[in-house]
Amino acid sequence: MDARSKRIAVPLAVDLDGTLIAADLLWESLFLLIRKRPLCVFLLPLWLMKGRAHLKCRIAERIDFDPAALPYRTELLARLQEDKAAGRHIVLATASPRLLAEKVAAHLGVFDQVLCTDPDCNMASAIKRDALIAAFGDGGFDYAGNSKADLKVFDAARQAVVVAPDRAASAWQAAHGGELIAAPKVSMRTIAKMLRVHQWLKNALIFVPLVLAHQYANLPVMLEAVLAFVAFSAAASAIYILNDFFDLALDRRHATKRNRPLASGVLSIPFGLGAMAVLLLMAAGTAAFLPPVFAAVLALYLVTTTAYSIAVKRMLLVDVLMLAGLYTLRILAGCAATGIEVSFWLLAFSVFFFLSLALVKRYVELRSTEVPVGERLAGRGYRLEDQEIIAQAGMASAFSSALVLALYIQSDAIDALYTHPWLIWPLGPIVLYITMRIWILARRDEMHDDPIVFIIRDWRSQAVAGLGALLLLAAGL
């Protein structure tokens, strides 16, 4: 009997979390539960008092779980399919609850047996080892695992297949041998992608009050604005991570979002939670050097964006109004950090301008996603037939922002700030050019799904925005 035949003759037990999938079902289930039933968070301590196994099963009963959306490790899955075709007995041995484990087994169709967690038994570590020994004998099975919890099972197996190991499993493999299936290396670029570093440019709105008040040469004021930018960028990245936790299943069904570090499983949820903690501490520490009113605005931003991630993003129209408000909140943060007086004209312009861009984002999502007529876009409150009214509202908001700008230029407030206010008049056509072009490209399906990112990357938008900045500068000379 050759080596392959001997291997096929030995049963293979496969762990699920972190091994067969690049994810942890307990963490994912927890965020699914919070998103669907936020009040259940108060039941978690009560369930945990009855044991970890009880907690897992209670959560699983209350969520909608789709095994097809999980990030499977393709190399291991291909081997299982090959071994199954050759007649090997394959067991799914997991600490995940039965309700989820059996759905995964049914979806993949490669498992002959499922050993999993029930309310009174957490199928992990020594318990999993004893169950496999009882079924196949000591050394009578091979085992694929990835973590410290699998070490006792590795010791009892004939051969270990160590998949994407943590530090403890990697040390075990180095000392005892066994086959290694390594995970992709995590680069700084991957972490930056999780943090959405490119989105930090949105926080440049913090500098708008400073620029419009002609305080850009005032170094203390500029330093305050820079600190506010750092605090908001750290807080924003923390919320982006939280948003990814709640949208894991939705992102995995999206053509491009499925490649996000958390959705793809390249980075784990515990890693993301640790990054969130560091970012929030950074935001709080930086805010401590600024006026207390800035800390209040930052706290309002965190509360509002968290509410948006959990619930508001699925509410018709409320979501885009909140998005416009969040952009305006960045301007208020700049005022709070620097002590510059809030301008009614600036806030009015901001609300209409960013409402138009928020509506573009929803419009593009509807255009780029196949949704049957009468059904809502996944994770949103919109339907396919809403496209036209969204476009009309978006264009109306764009023109309203230009109208506010025109009224501001004709107001008495302009004379106190600008020597040549007539030079600012071209800003109206510039705003209309940027927004109308975005809407035209959106209708042509030629635009990024985030219009802010599009403006930042589009050289034409950069050119006209730069022209507007020069006109503002010249008007004040």
Side-chain angles (χ1 to χ4, degrees):
M1 183 181 293
D2 59 21
R4 183 176 183 275
S5 299
K6 290 181 180 179
R7 177 171 63 85
I8 296 299
V10 178
L12 172 63
V14 183
D15 178 48
L16 179 59
D17 297 324
T19 303
L20 181 58
I21 61 173
D24 187 312
L25 287 189
L26 177 58
W27 282 112
E28 299 215 8
S29 300
L30 180 60
F31 284 105
L32 280 174
L33 177 70
I34 295 173
R35 191 185 72 174
K36 183 180 179 182
R37 301 180 180 180
L39 294 180
C40 280
V41 71
F42 298 107
L43 296 176
L44 295 176
L46 299 178
W47 295 339
L48 186 57
M49 288 174 62
K50 296 183 180 181
R52 191 177 177 89
H54 183 86
L55 171 70
K56 294 178 181 179
C57 294
R58 296 293 80 81
I59 293 175
E61 292 169 355
R62 290 163 172 81
I63 62 171
D64 297 322
F65 173 70
D66 180 12
L70 294 174
Y72 293 97
R73 298 200 189 275
T74 54
E75 182 179 347
L76 179 59
L77 182 57
R79 174 182 298 187
L80 296 182
Q81 292 168 337
E82 180 183 342
D83 285 0
K84 175 66 176 177
R88 191 175 195 181
H89 186 86
I90 304 177
V91 181
L92 180 61
T94 174
S96 292
R98 182 170 300 278
L99 191 59
L100 307 187
E102 290 186 344
K103 285 185 178 181
V104 171
H107 170 68
L108 295 178
V110 297
F111 296 107
D112 301 289
Q113 185 178 350
V114 176
L115 297 175
C116 55
T117 290
D118 289 308
D120 57 349
C121 176
N122 186 31
M123 187 61 65
S125 194
I127 295 177
K128 183 190 292 188
R129 176 200 61 195
D130 294 344
L132 289 170
I133 290 176
F136 308 110
D138 193 358
F141 61 93
D142 292 346
Y143 180 73
N146 75 298
S147 68
K148 181 179 180 181
D150 296 312
L151 300 187
K152 292 181 179 179
V153 191
F154 286 151
D155 290 334
R158 181 190 73 98
Q159 183 178 15
V161 181
V162 186
V163 183
D166 63 11
R167 185 175 299 178
S170 182
W172 187 96
Q173 191 274 334
H176 298 85
E179 185 177 354
L180 174 65
I181 300 178
K185 291 185 177 180
V186 176
S187 65
M188 289 304 298
R189 183 178 180 181
T190 302
I191 296 174
K193 191 174 180 181
M194 177 190 70
L195 298 179
R196 309 272 228 290
V197 171
H198 66 282
Q199 298 281 10
W200 290 357
L201 288 173
K202 295 178 181 179
N203 299 322
L205 290 170
I206 287 172
F207 295 95
V208 169
L210 177 150
V211 171
L212 295 181
H214 301 170
Q215 295 294 312
Y216 35 79
N218 188 328
L219 292 182
V221 172
M222 178 62 77
L223 177 59
E224 290 172 335
V226 170
L227 290 175
F229 176 84
V230 171
F232 249 75
S233 296
S237 288
I239 297 301
Y240 286 134
I241 294 171
L242 181 65
N243 184 69
D244 283 352
F245 290 159
F246 289 119
D247 282 352
L248 287 172
L250 293 174
D251 287 350
R252 287 167 184 159
R253 299 188 188 101
H254 193 275
T256 57
K257 293 179 181 179
R258 69 178 62 179
N259 297 319
R260 288 177 173 175
L262 291 167
S264 64
V266 175
L267 296 179
S268 67
I269 289 180
F271 181 90
L273 289 171
M276 274 186 65
V278 171
L279 289 164
L280 291 174
L281 286 173
M282 184 186 302
T286 307
F289 293 95
L290 295 170
V293 66
F294 172 79
V297 174
L298 182 62
L300 177 61
Y301 172 80
L302 288 169
V303 171
T304 306
T305 49
T306 302
Y308 176 83
S309 297
I310 295 176
V312 175
K313 66 192 304 180
R314 292 183 291 280
M315 297 181 182
L316 180 68
L317 296 181
V318 178
D319 62 333
V320 289
L321 291 169
M322 181 172 282
L323 281 177
L326 287 171
Y327 285 114
T328 305
L329 198 60
R330 289 172 167 90
I331 294 175
L332 289 173
C335 293
T338 59
I340 295 172
E341 186 178 351
V342 178
S343 167
F344 161 78
W345 294 106
L346 178 58
L347 296 183
F349 170 82
S350 172
V351 167
F352 284 116
F353 182 78
F354 290 112
L355 176 59
S356 179
L357 298 186
L359 287 165
V360 168
K361 189 170 184 178
R362 292 294 175 262
Y363 180 83
V364 171
E365 287 177 346
L366 283 171
R367 296 271 294 187
S368 61
T369 307
E370 294 184 5
V371 184
V373 175
E375 292 189 14
R376 292 184 178 185
L377 182 68
R380 306 295 184 206
Y382 300 89
R383 305 192 309 200
L384 188 64
E385 52 267 37
D386 297 332
Q387 287 187 52
E388 193 56 38
I389 188 64
I390 289 174
Q392 291 174 9
M395 288 297 297
S397 296
F399 276 86
S400 296
S401 67
L403 177 60
V404 169
L405 183 57
L407 292 173
Y408 167 68
I409 294 171
Q410 276 304 111
S411 72
D412 295 335
I414 202 78
D415 296 328
L417 292 171
Y418 298 97
T419 308
H420 309 291
W422 59 272
L423 284 174
I424 304 178
W425 266 108
L427 291 182
I430 286 174
V431 168
L432 288 176
Y433 171 81
I434 291 175
T435 51
M436 289 178 67
R437 182 166 177 270
I438 283 174
W439 275 104
I440 289 173
L441 294 179
R443 284 178 172 270
R444 293 178 180 176
D445 299 324
E446 297 178 3
M447 201 197 69
H448 192 282
D449 60 357
D450 189 327
I452 303 295
V453 175
F454 174 81
I455 291 174
I456 293 169
R457 294 175 176 175
D458 177 53
W459 71 266
R460 292 180 178 85
S461 299
Q462 294 170 2
V464 294
L467 176 61
L470 290 174
L471 289 172
L472 275 174
L473 182 63
L477 294 178

